[in-house]
Amino acid sequence: MKFQFKYRSLLKIRRHEQKLQQQKLAELLESRQEMSRRLERLLDRPDPPALGEGGRHSVQGMRRGYTHRMSHLKEVWELQEMLERLGQDIEEQRGRLLEASKKTRMLEKLESQDKMRFLEELQRREQLQQNEIATQLYNRAS
């Protein structure tokens, strides 16, 4: 007699779903880390000098500097917004992973309980067989 869990296929599906959720979360965390590195590199980049030829301030140099700083700030702002949205996505994904883990754990617990019942029933049957054998041996000896 072999133990057969009646929801084995469902448990297999739940484990697969949990694994997929873990992979999605890992991808989101990796992309957040990459964006954080990009933002850090962007913030560490020095501003170009606004000086023109001969070390003097020029209108064109100041405009270029202003344009550069504005584009730099726009990139920083966009990256920070993307990081914020990604943080929200990560929290949602963590919730989905938690839900998948709960479903998987519930089925695993059910499997464990079924297995314990199966083993108890198996032990009970073996004990009944041993009792029957002992009874027959005793009756023959008498």
Side-chain angles (χ1 to χ4, degrees):
M1 198 176 199
K2 186 176 177 185
F3 174 69
Q4 291 287 327
F5 183 54
K6 59 184 172 184
Y7 300 115
R8 183 178 359 163
S9 59
L10 181 60
L11 179 60
K12 187 175 180 180
I13 290 170
R14 297 296 166 120
R15 285 180 177 153
H16 180 69
E17 287 174 358
Q18 183 180 1
K19 187 176 181 181
L20 288 177
Q21 297 299 334
Q22 287 173 338
Q23 289 173 348
K24 288 178 184 177
L25 180 61
E27 289 172 5
L28 287 172
L29 289 172
E30 187 177 315
S31 61
R32 181 178 70 177
Q33 188 177 25
E34 177 59 34
M35 277 191 203
S36 294
R37 277 189 242 130
R38 280 179 49 199
L39 181 62
E40 192 175 304
R41 282 193 304 267
L42 199 59
L43 291 174
D44 289 344
R45 193 166 60 187
D47 287 338
L51 298 177
E53 297 175 17
R56 298 183 190 153
H57 288 282
S58 68
V59 173
Q60 290 86 9
M62 290 172 60
R63 283 185 184 161
R64 273 194 308 267
Y66 175 77
T67 304
H68 175 75
R69 279 189 293 281
M70 291 309 292
S71 66
H72 182 267
L73 287 174
K74 184 179 178 185
E75 280 184 75
V76 168
W77 181 74
E78 287 173 352
L79 273 175
Q80 286 174 337
E81 271 192 348
M82 288 171 63
L83 274 171
E84 190 174 311
R85 275 184 267 138
L86 196 56
Q88 292 170 352
D89 292 345
I90 287 172
E91 288 307 312
E92 290 173 8
Q93 185 61 35
R94 280 187 176 142
R96 287 191 289 268
L97 176 60
L98 181 64
E99 192 64 33
S101 296
K102 284 179 183 178
K103 290 177 180 178
T104 303
R105 228 174 312 136
M106 180 180 66
L107 280 174
E108 287 171 345
K109 192 173 184 179
L110 183 62
E111 180 185 29
S112 174
Q113 290 171 351
D114 281 357
K115 192 169 191 171
M116 291 301 295
R117 276 190 231 116
F118 172 78
L119 291 174
E120 288 170 359
E121 179 64 24
L122 195 62
Q123 285 178 343
R124 189 184 66 77
R125 286 183 183 181
E126 286 177 10
Q127 187 63 44
L128 286 173
Q129 284 178 343
Q130 290 174 357
N131 289 346
E132 183 66 30
I133 292 171
T135 304
Q136 288 177 2
L137 288 174
Y138 180 75
N139 288 338
R140 280 189 198 162
S142 306

